[in-house]
């Protein structure tokens, strides 16, 4: 018995006159009484959510536990050691001639440490750590959604060896092997049909739900589903080199491309940094009070601009329809333009018909 991811069904291979008995057993099954499979923790959205919640809870618990349980001297040492990372990032930005938010973070943290205000420095680093966790979590959720929508789930493939069909790991299949793909199965690798006929659902490649007829000489792509029929396929691309793998890589890489509104917000945030630093030094020069001057750094809005925009972009990506394969920031921004243009075109057509 083999479960088929392509259509949610299963395939039963039997010999002799067992068909009637198999049909009776299948008819007697109660769907509500069937056991539920345990999801793979490494590829489960629920596992990602739980890990993110655990990381946030751990960070919060660790931050407040230090304040309650550790003496001030130990907290000061821990804060100073942790601040070295932010100092390194700020110095690297300065070395490249940039007055960016990293420089502002470094200044606020190390000025607090210089004032022996280790609690403020620890609080700033705690908030920055939470923002890093949020960024990593949203990126992981996007990558997981992509893998679940497009990745090939097949682990084995049936190939002909010396006139018989044998099942081998998909990574062992070589270019030129003849593989058997039956009804209800996903095509595991790109190839050319050498025998048989089938109706193939290529929605994962083209977005078109209409079945495509395939016979000898036709090309089939990994990730498409055989709705009906059985075919022999000569492999033309190994695992990792298929057309679908190229699409997955392209879309995954596109998640790193920022939307224009996000880029503008980051440029605005970096542009505010020189002003904030200038006001800080000006107030320090006028008041001779470093603690008072540091208030300019603490209420600076560049970090809020830079951190809030990615959250807004990721929130918009969540509501993009499930059928949309790419949820990259630029794709989300283009989707908004597409929706507006489509509405404008529809209204124009209605008025013309009227």
């Amino acid at each position: 018995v083999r479960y088929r991811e392509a259509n949610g069904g299963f395939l039963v291979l039997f010999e002799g006159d067992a068909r009637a008995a198999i049909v009776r057993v299948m008819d007697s099954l109660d769907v509500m009484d069937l056991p539920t499979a345990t999801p793979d923790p490494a590829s489960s959205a629920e596992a990602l959510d739980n890990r993110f919640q655990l990381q946030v809870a751990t960070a919060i618990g660790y931050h407040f536990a230090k304040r309650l349980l550790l003496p001030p001297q130990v907290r000061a040492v821990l804060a100073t050691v942790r601040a070295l990372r932010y100092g390194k990032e700020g110095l690297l930005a300065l070395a490249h001639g940039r007055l960016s938010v990293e420089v502002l973070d470094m200044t606020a943290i190390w000025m607090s440490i210089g004032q022996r205000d280790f609690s403020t420095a620890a609080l700033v680093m705690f908030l920055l750590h939470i923002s890093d966790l949020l960024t990593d979590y949203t990126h992981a959720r996007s990558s997981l959604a992509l893998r679940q929508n497009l990745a090939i789930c097949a682990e084995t493939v049936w190939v002909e060896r010396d006139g018989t069909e044998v099942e081998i790991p998909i990574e062992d299949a070589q270019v030129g092997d003849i593989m058997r793909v039956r009804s209800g199965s996903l095509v595991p690798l790109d190839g050319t049909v050498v025998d048989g006929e089938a109706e193939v659902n290529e929605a994962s490649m083209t977005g078109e739900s209409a079945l495509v007829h395939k016979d000898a000489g036709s090309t089939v792509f990994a990730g498409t589903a055989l709705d009906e029929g059985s075919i022999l396929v000569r492999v033309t691309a190994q695992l990792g080199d298929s057309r679908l793998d190229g699409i997955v890589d392209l879309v995954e890489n596109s998640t790193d491309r920022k939307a224009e509104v996000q880029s503008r917000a980051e440029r605005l945030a970096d542009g505010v940094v020189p002003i904030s630093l200038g006001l800080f030094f000006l107030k320090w020069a006028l008041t001779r009070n470093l603690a008072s001057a540091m208030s300019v750094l603490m209420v600076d809005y560049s970090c809020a601009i830079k951190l809030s925009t990615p959250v807004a972009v990721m929130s918009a990506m969540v509501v993009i329809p499930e059928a949309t394969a790419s949820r990259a920031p630029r794709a989300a921004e283009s989707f908004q333009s597409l929706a507006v243009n489509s509405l404008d075109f529809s209204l124009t057509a209605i008025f013309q018909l009227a």
Side-chain angles (χ1 to χ4, degrees):
V1 178
R2 298 191 175 278
Y3 173 71
R4 300 302 183 184
E5 292 278 355
N7 58 6
F10 55 90
L11 177 67
V12 180
L13 302 178
F14 61 90
E15 295 180 356
D17 299 328
R19 184 178 185 278
I22 294 174
V23 171
R24 286 196 300 271
V25 172
M26 293 173 61
D27 289 339
S28 66
L29 293 177
D30 186 351
V31 177
M32 302 305 295
D33 291 336
L34 295 178
T36 302
T38 303
D40 181 6
S43 60
S44 168
E46 183 179 359
L48 279 178
D49 294 342
N50 292 337
R51 184 172 63 184
F52 171 69
Q53 293 169 6
L54 179 61
Q55 289 174 332
V56 172
T58 301
I60 295 174
Y62 179 69
H63 176 73
F64 288 102
K66 286 191 301 182
R67 298 186 60 178
L68 294 175
L69 302 178
L70 297 180
Q73 296 82 358
V74 176
R75 296 203 306 270
V77 173
L78 293 176
T80 303
V81 172
R82 192 176 181 186
L84 294 175
R85 169 200 163 191
Y86 296 96
K88 177 182 177 181
E89 293 176 355
L91 291 175
L92 287 175
L94 288 175
H96 289 85
R98 294 185 290 108
L99 279 178
S100 59
V101 172
E102 288 76 16
V103 177
L104 195 64
D105 294 338
M106 177 189 68
T107 305
I109 292 170
W110 280 98
M111 282 294 181
S112 298
I113 293 176
Q115 288 289 100
R116 304 184 66 82
D117 188 357
F118 298 101
S119 296
T120 300
L123 180 60
V124 172
M125 290 185 288
F126 165 71
L127 295 175
L128 292 174
H129 177 57
I130 293 296
S131 70
D132 290 339
L133 291 178
L134 177 62
T135 300
D136 293 341
Y137 166 70
T138 51
H139 186 271
R141 282 299 301 265
S142 297
S143 298
L144 176 61
L146 173 65
R147 290 196 300 271
Q148 290 178 338
N149 287 337
L150 293 181
I152 303 172
C153 301
E155 297 181 355
T156 60
V157 58
W158 286 89
V159 298
E160 285 196 346
R161 296 285 169 84
D162 299 327
T164 61
E165 294 183 7
V166 295
E167 187 178 22
I168 64 172
I170 188 172
E171 58 269 16
D172 292 343
Q174 303 295 322
V175 174
D177 283 345
I178 304 298
M179 62 180 180
R180 168 69 69 178
V181 186
R182 295 182 173 86
S183 175
S185 301
L186 285 175
V187 178
L189 299 167
D190 288 356
T192 303
V193 179
V194 295
D195 188 32
E197 296 184 4
E199 302 296 326
V200 180
N201 185 337
E202 296 185 335
S204 60
M205 293 291 298
T206 65
E208 181 61 50
S209 60
L211 299 179
V212 179
H213 181 74
K214 300 289 184 178
D215 52 18
S218 301
T219 300
V220 291
F221 299 105
T224 57
L226 249 71
D227 194 76
E228 295 179 6
S230 177
I231 53 177
L232 287 174
V233 179
R234 177 178 288 109
V235 177
T236 58
Q238 291 180 277
L239 183 65
D241 297 329
S242 67
R243 186 76 59 86
L244 186 62
D245 290 318
I247 295 175
V248 171
D249 291 339
L250 177 64
V251 179
E252 273 193 332
N253 293 334
S254 72
T255 60
D256 294 330
R257 299 176 60 196
K258 298 174 182 177
E260 180 61 26
V261 63
Q262 187 175 352
S263 300
R264 287 199 302 266
E266 292 189 358
R267 290 195 298 268
L268 176 61
D270 289 340
V272 173
V273 172
I275 300 175
S276 299
L277 291 175
L279 291 175
F280 162 72
F281 287 112
L282 178 61
K283 188 172 184 179
W284 188 9
L286 294 177
T287 63
R288 303 293 181 180
N289 187 333
L290 183 58
S292 177
M294 284 184 59
S295 63
V296 176
L297 301 178
M298 296 305 168
V299 300
D300 173 74
Y301 291 100
S302 60
C303 290
I305 296 172
K306 195 168 184 178
L307 293 176
S308 62
T309 306
V311 174
V313 171
M314 294 303 298
S315 299
M317 290 164 63
V318 170
V319 299
I320 292 178
E322 293 292 335
T324 306
S326 176
R327 296 190 180 189
R330 282 191 181 274
E333 196 171 46
S334 300
F335 187 82
Q336 176 204 11
S337 175
L338 175 64
V340 172
N341 292 336
S342 299
L343 176 62
D344 179 68
F345 177 80
S346 300
L347 291 176
T348 302
I350 290 174
F351 283 120
Q352 288 177 346
L353 290 174

